[in-house]
Amino acid sequence: MAAAFVGGAALGAAFGEGFTVLHVTVKDVVSKARMFKPILKHLESTLDRLAPTVNEITQPSEQLDLPEVETKSLIEHMEVGEKLVLKCLKIRWWNCWFKLYYSPKLKELVEEIVRFCQLHMQVHSRRDGLRTLVNVNVNLQKVDSVVDRQRVLCTVRDPPDFTVGLDMPMKELKTLLLKEEVQLLLLTAPGGCGKTTLVQMLCQDDQIRGMFGDNILFVNVSKTPNVKVIVQNLLNYKDMQPTFQIQCDEDAIDQLSQLLNHLSPNPILLILDDVWLRSESLPEKFKFDLPNYKILVTSRTAFPRLEFTYHLKPLDDVDAMTLFHRSASLHDENSYIPAEEDAKKIVRGCGGFPLVIKVIGGSLRRQHEVVWHSRLMKWSDGQFYFSSDTELLAHLQKSLEFSDDKVIIKECFMDLGSFPEDQRIPAAALIDMWAELYKLDEDGIQAIANLQELNIRNLASLVMARKDASEVKSYYNEDFVTHHDILRELAIHQSSQESIGQRSRLIINISGNNLPKWWTEQKLQLINARLLSISTDELFSSRWCNIQGSKVEVLVLNFHTKNYTLPEFMEKMDKLKVLIINNYGFFHSKISNFQMLGYLPNLKRIRLEKVSICSLCETLVPLKSLKKISLFMCNIGKAFENCTIQVSDAFPNLTEINFDYCNDLEELPAGLCDIIHLKKVSITNCHKLFALPEEIRKLVNLEVLRLRSCTDLSELPDSIKSLHKLSILDISDCLSIIKLPKHIGELCNLKELNMKGCLRLRTQFPKSIMDLEQLKLVVCDEERARLWEPIKEFLTELKVEVAEKDINLNWLPK
């Protein structure tokens, strides 16, 4: 391998040569070193994906500014890695110590190469595929992107950190799956038994990973499957375009056949998770006569027509007690420890269902002895038998027993049913809802505390992105909630105990154009709901019946279509405060009838996801109550220019606006700078944003300016010196910024500055930075931290926090 370095070009060439040698060596060894085959296959796969990237950043025409010390170190590591790979051929199968020693070394090498390529492609790449940087904390084995949902839906997630009672079922399931005569295998058990967790464990198995490699395809089928959507997801996951437009299910099946033939003769495992009773014919549609192609189906129903079936049994008494002890934190010395017989009585009542045990255990965690005895009296009927989901839901209701001061937690739990199954729920959307429904703080601290309470009780899973110190109590745009299907049904069930007209929370799911009978039976349906959620699928034609919702304060519209019309009945929602519009389809949706917003005098918050916006100012009536606009994955176009009235007149009292993953946003619309009441402006992951207007100086009341991961933004206008109320400035991962504004010192109220990942910011800071007397916290990496050392001598209260490096593969094409 190259050992001499002469200038940047030679350095890049040496890196490219070292990578190529390592790549070739791995390909040569992977089929011969059986003991290391899984780790080497994973290494080979990763290097295959990295190869085009390495080739691009080592091209002489790119003239990259590769850091000499870091590049030399990585080349040396690759030399060592090549030797490690070759040693794998010499190690005998029985020498486990060497495997334990070498495997982490190889993984560490991959991480170093990934991080190096990630950082430099983020700086220099012009390809759109490498612009979508995702700030969700993931590792090499788990690709979980907020932006590319279609790929996520086909990726098997990691199993929970703690599982019990599934080791033997996993071995039995694997043995059955790998039998030559088995092409289609059904894994069945009632809801909440751990079917999906068992599949996740199976896919982590070395033998399964070694056999199927990257050809493990995961599809969550859910209650109302759509073959076209499923196939499109799979094509996206494998980065393949359909050879013709998919118009019907037959077209989709034909495209799937082409995809599988493309992947063959390599072994393929297709997992169809959560197939419902009326969809039992679906797995057979996906059968093809291909060698080494297998389908694994999970379902609550045991389909008689499928020949090979594995029944997952509930946990036995020992495993159930183990799970209960952990869920109720009985190992915690601060917890009340019940009598063993009392604990067994509770566990027996859970029927061996892991989900029920976790939920009920969570509801008793760190509770007082009096609470335990009270619950035992209510659950004194002893053993239960869960013969159907209805019974399971009935027993799960026991976990919703909250003290009087925790009643709001139960309400928050039931609100989660307002979003579709198998979809992440953005924490920011819940914050908007709960701030208005329950008068929680607008910064979201109380809302996140409620979500953490639900997480502790195992009623929801809160996933929080890794945060720096400055963000812990203020930035939740990357946090989200996941919800087990059973728990979602419980939330909807609990919300449906009263008649339609009397419910405080009305959740409507529409399939096709089949509106509920209660809705169509009357010309005008009166409801008393404060929260109204309507979910429609891709076949819905936006033909609404009338509805009288004069008490609705939060409206959630979930849909899948390319064109969507806001319902006319919004006109009568005088009390509406929050409007959340979520497009879960493949393509951006064009929203029409925006002028309906003009009839909403109390509207305070709007959140739009994955929509194309012609104009946000179509209304002739100013939205005087509107305080916050959030645009996630939207096409902005000229939304703030094609207005019938000036933006500042349309939203005279707007205090916060958020743009996240808006890929066509190149410059902050100047008209927004006339809204003098703005306090928070957040532009994150907008990779084409290249400039802020000089007019930003008009935002004299601005307190927070976030510009996270705007990779084309090369500088901040010096006019920001006029923002004397600015207290938080976040330019983290703005990879193109090379200097700070000359007069940054005039930001006399600046307290927090996040500049993590500003890789090109290497020059000394402007002298005026010494005038930032209120600056208390700076978040950056090690190289930038060294630039702050002399400044800390003058700003004595300043704390410089070195952020951890985030290594992931999200930025790579698949």
Side-chain angles (χ1 to χ4, degrees):
M1 297 174 77
F5 310 97
V6 183
L11 197 61
F15 169 67
E17 180 185 345
F19 178 89
T20 301
V21 172
L22 176 64
H23 196 185
V24 171
T25 302
V26 170
K27 284 186 174 296
D28 183 58
V29 172
V30 67
S31 61
K32 304 173 184 177
R34 290 189 301 169
M35 182 178 177
F36 290 88
K37 189 170 183 179
I39 183 67
L40 289 176
K41 284 285 288 183
H42 182 66
L43 176 58
E44 180 187 28
S45 174
T46 302
L47 295 178
D48 285 344
R49 290 165 60 194
L50 284 169
T53 302
V54 171
N55 181 60
E56 185 168 343
I57 68 176
T58 55
Q59 289 296 318
S61 59
E62 289 295 315
Q63 298 180 346
L64 298 188
D65 183 17
L66 299 177
E68 182 175 353
V69 174
E70 187 175 357
T71 309
K72 286 182 177 180
S73 175
L74 183 57
I75 293 172
E76 292 171 359
H77 284 170
M78 287 192 294
E79 289 178 342
V80 174
E82 178 197 359
K83 295 175 182 177
L84 283 177
V85 172
L86 290 171
K87 283 185 179 180
C88 291
L89 284 172
K90 302 177 182 179
I91 298 170
R92 302 303 178 194
W93 64 268
W94 42 262
N95 201 330
C96 295
W97 184 89
F98 279 97
K99 182 175 182 180
L100 291 173
Y101 176 78
Y102 282 123
S103 294
K105 297 286 185 183
L106 292 172
K107 182 180 178 183
E108 181 180 350
L109 172 62
V110 177
E111 290 178 346
E112 285 295 315
I113 299 173
V114 167
R115 185 180 63 82
F116 183 89
C117 294
Q118 176 188 13
L119 295 180
H120 296 292
M121 280 308 294
Q122 286 174 354
V123 176
H124 297 280
S125 172
R126 296 177 178 85
R127 290 159 44 196
D128 287 343
L130 301 178
R131 286 297 189 189
T132 50
L133 308 177
V134 183
N135 294 315
V136 175
N137 183 27
V138 289
N139 57 32
L140 288 171
Q141 286 75 37
K142 180 180 178 183
V143 180
D144 215 13
S145 164
V146 173
V147 178
D148 203 348
R149 294 181 176 194
Q150 287 74 38
R151 289 177 177 170
V152 169
L153 291 174
C154 298
T155 304
V156 186
R157 297 185 179 182
D158 289 343
D161 294 334
F162 179 81
T163 58
V164 63
L166 293 179
D167 290 341
M168 184 55 67
M170 198 274 287
K171 293 179 182 178
E172 294 172 347
L173 182 67
K174 180 177 72 171
T175 300
L176 184 56
L177 178 68
L178 295 182
K179 286 186 176 181
E180 185 176 351
E181 66 271 23
V182 176
Q183 184 189 13
L184 179 56
L185 174 61
L186 172 66
L187 167 61
T188 183
C193 266
K195 300 183 295 295
T196 301
T197 299
L198 180 58
V199 168
Q200 291 168 344
M201 291 176 61
L202 178 75
C203 294
Q204 288 280 355
D205 179 76
D206 287 346
Q207 186 177 357
I208 294 296
R209 290 177 62 184
M211 179 176 181
F212 295 101
D214 290 336
N215 286 344
I216 299 178
L217 311 175
F218 182 90
V219 175
N220 193 298
V221 177
S222 73
K223 196 171 185 176
T224 55
N226 184 296
V227 175
K228 293 181 290 183
V229 172
I230 290 172
V231 172
Q232 186 66 59
N233 279 336
L234 293 170
L235 290 169
N236 286 355
Y237 179 64
K238 283 300 182 182
D239 201 25
M240 289 184 62
Q241 296 295 324
T243 54
F244 53 84
Q245 187 173 3
I246 299 177
Q247 300 282 1
C248 58
D249 287 359
E250 289 73 18
D251 290 346
I253 295 300
D254 186 51
Q255 290 293 314
L256 177 61
S257 175
Q258 293 185 36
L259 169 63
L260 296 175
N261 276 286
H262 174 75
L263 300 178
S264 188
N266 294 324
I268 304 167
L269 175 59
L270 174 62
I271 299 168
L272 302 176
D273 189 45
D274 195 20
V275 177
W276 284 58
L277 177 60
R278 295 181 180 179
S279 305
E280 58 183 301
S281 63
L282 181 68
E284 294 183 337
K285 291 182 180 179
F286 286 18
K287 287 181 65 176
F288 297 95
D289 187 17
L290 293 172
N292 298 316
Y293 169 52
K294 293 180 179 290
I295 303 174
L296 176 60
V297 178
T298 76
S299 178
R300 305 176 192 182
T301 305
F303 301 132
R305 63 195 297 175
L306 300 186
E307 180 180 0
F308 299 101
T309 301
Y310 182 84
H311 293 270
L312 177 60
K313 299 177 181 178
L315 298 178
D316 60 29
D317 291 344
V318 175
D319 289 333
M321 281 297 292
T322 300
L323 182 57
F324 180 72
H325 272 255
R326 182 179 180 89
S327 300
S329 295
L330 297 187
H331 59 280
D332 189 339
E333 60 184 19
N334 295 322
S335 294
Y336 166 70
I337 308 299
E340 187 70 10
E341 190 56 38
D342 287 343
K344 288 181 178 179
K345 186 183 298 185
I346 294 172
V347 171
R348 283 197 298 269
C350 296
F353 283 72
L355 178 62
V356 181
I357 295 169
K358 288 173 64 178
V359 170
I360 291 181
S363 72
L364 290 167
R365 183 180 297 162
R366 299 187 181 91
Q367 295 288 352
H368 192 274
E369 178 181 356
V370 174
V371 177
W372 278 81
H373 287 300
S374 173
R375 300 282 176 85
L376 280 166
M377 291 178 64
K378 292 182 180 180
W379 301 342
S380 59
D381 48 349
Q383 298 187 23
F384 303 108
Y385 178 69
F386 297 84
S387 59
S388 69
D389 287 346
T390 302
E391 292 186 34
L392 176 58
L393 288 171
H395 293 296
L396 279 171
Q397 287 176 347
K398 297 173 183 177
S399 65
L400 298 181
E401 296 175 1
F402 294 90
S403 58
D404 291 342
D405 62 331
K406 296 285 188 178
V407 171
I408 191 173
I409 306 296
K410 181 177 179 179
E411 296 297 319
C412 290
F413 168 74
M414 291 191 289
D415 290 340
L416 299 182
S418 305
F419 298 85
E421 63 178 335
D422 304 319
Q423 298 290 347
R424 295 170 173 173
I425 305 173
L430 296 173
I431 289 171
D432 285 340
M433 291 169 55
W434 295 344
E436 301 302 333
L437 286 174
Y438 310 123
K439 308 304 178 186
L440 302 186
D441 65 296
E442 296 192 0
D443 289 332
I445 298 174
Q446 290 174 296
I448 294 297
N450 289 351
L451 287 174
Q452 288 173 335
E453 177 84 14
L454 293 174
N455 188 68
I456 289 172
R457 290 173 176 264
N458 293 311
L459 291 170
S461 296
L462 173 62
V463 181
M464 302 186 73
R466 185 166 59 201
K467 290 182 171 65
D468 303 312
S470 63
E471 304 168 336
V472 171
K473 295 182 179 180
S474 61
Y475 183 70
Y476 306 110
N477 284 9
E478 293 172 0
D479 302 341
F480 59 89
V481 177
T482 59
H483 210 203
H484 193 284
D485 290 348
I486 293 293
L487 292 173
R488 180 177 179 272
E489 290 180 29
L490 174 62
I492 295 174
H493 177 77
Q494 288 296 112
S495 300
S496 307
Q497 299 303 300
E498 298 174 302
S499 64
I500 296 293
Q502 297 305 312
R503 294 176 190 174
S504 63
R505 181 185 299 98
L506 182 56
I507 300 172
I508 305 172
N509 294 290
I510 300 174
S511 177
N513 289 304
N514 300 314
L515 298 177
K517 287 185 178 180
W518 62 263
W519 196 347
T520 57
E521 285 174 351
Q522 300 182 29
K523 291 184 178 180
L524 183 63
Q525 180 65 47
L526 299 176
I527 63 171
N528 284 308
R530 294 181 65 204
L531 188 159
L532 174 60
S533 169
I534 305 177
S535 298
T536 55
D537 59 20
E538 64 281 350
L539 300 178
F540 183 65
S541 62
S542 295
R543 295 177 182 173
W544 301 101
C545 290
N546 204 353
I547 194 170
Q548 181 67 45
S550 60
K551 296 184 179 180
V552 174
E553 297 179 38
V554 175
L555 176 61
V556 181
L557 300 173
N558 306 305
F559 61 94
H560 292 76
T561 52
K562 287 186 180 180
N563 295 286
Y564 189 80
T565 303
L566 294 183
E568 295 285 344
F569 57 71
M570 288 175 56
E571 180 180 349
K572 303 297 183 181
M573 293 183 175
D574 296 339
K575 294 185 178 180
L576 189 67
K577 297 177 182 178
V578 181
L579 175 62
I580 298 176
I581 300 178
N582 298 316
N583 170 23
Y584 292 102
F586 287 113
F587 307 102
H588 284 80
S589 177
K590 182 179 179 181
I591 304 293
S592 57
N593 216 13
F594 254 119
Q595 62 268 23
M596 294 302 303
L597 303 185
Y599 296 99
L600 307 173
N602 291 298
L603 187 63
K604 293 183 178 181
R605 298 164 183 257
I606 298 175
R607 177 182 171 86
L608 306 178
E609 180 168 336
K610 209 172 185 181
V611 303
S612 296
I613 307 168
C614 294
S615 175
L616 270 174
C617 315
E618 291 183 7
T619 173
L620 295 174
V621 180
L623 299 179
K624 294 182 178 180
S625 297
L626 193 65
K627 299 290 185 181
K628 180 179 178 181
I629 298 175
S630 298
L631 306 175
F632 180 76
M633 291 180 69
C634 291
N635 285 337
I636 304 298
K638 297 185 181 299
F640 295 94
E641 298 176 22
N642 295 337
C643 301
T644 53
I645 56 178
Q646 294 292 325
V647 177
S648 56
D649 293 331
F651 315 123
N653 296 305
L654 193 69
T655 60
E656 180 176 353
I657 188 163
N658 299 297
F659 301 91
D660 197 16
Y661 290 105
C662 296
N663 289 330
D664 68 338
L665 182 65
E666 297 183 354
E667 187 173 6
L668 180 69
L672 291 174
C673 298
D674 292 325
I675 307 176
I676 61 172
H677 292 292
L678 271 175
K679 293 183 179 181
K680 296 181 181 180
V681 172
S682 178
I683 310 176
T684 57
N685 303 290
C686 296
H687 304 298
K688 292 185 179 179
L689 182 81
F690 67 87
L692 297 178
E694 287 291 328
E695 290 87 346
I696 199 170
R697 67 181 183 276
K698 299 178 183 179
L699 299 178
V700 293
N701 291 299
L702 196 65
E703 298 174 2
V704 177
L705 178 60
R706 296 193 188 280
L707 303 166
R708 300 171 67 95
S709 297
C710 295
T711 52
D712 271 358
L713 184 64
S714 58
E715 64 179 357
L716 301 177
D718 206 46
S719 61
I720 71 166
K721 66 184 180 181
S722 300
L723 307 181
H724 294 158
K725 290 187 179 181
L726 192 69
S727 62
I728 297 176
L729 176 60
D730 185 350
I731 56 172
S732 57
D733 296 312
C734 287
L735 305 166
S736 299
I737 288 182
I738 58 176
K739 64 179 180 178
L740 295 176
K742 181 178 180 181
H743 298 291
I744 192 172
E746 294 187 30
L747 298 177
C748 54
N749 200 43
L750 189 65
K751 295 179 176 62
E752 298 176 6
L753 172 61
N754 191 331
M755 52 192 301
K756 169 179 66 72
C758 293
L759 304 177
R760 305 191 74 183
L761 210 167
R762 297 172 180 168
T763 60
Q764 294 296 322
F765 299 141
K767 293 180 181 180
S768 69
I769 208 161
M770 299 292 189
D771 297 328
L772 296 175
E773 297 179 358
Q774 298 299 317
L775 191 61
K776 298 295 187 293
L777 176 65
V778 170
V779 180
C780 59
D781 51 34
E782 292 182 5
E783 186 174 349
R784 260 49 63 184
R786 287 192 289 270
L787 297 176
W788 282 99
E789 284 303 317
I791 299 171
K792 288 169 63 178
E793 296 180 11
F794 298 91
L795 303 179
T796 55
E797 297 185 17
L798 176 62
K799 176 185 176 183
V800 177
E801 177 184 317
V802 177
E804 295 182 26
K805 296 175 181 177
D806 185 15
I807 300 173
N808 64 71
L809 284 174
N810 290 334
W811 52 281
L812 278 173
K814 294 188 173 55

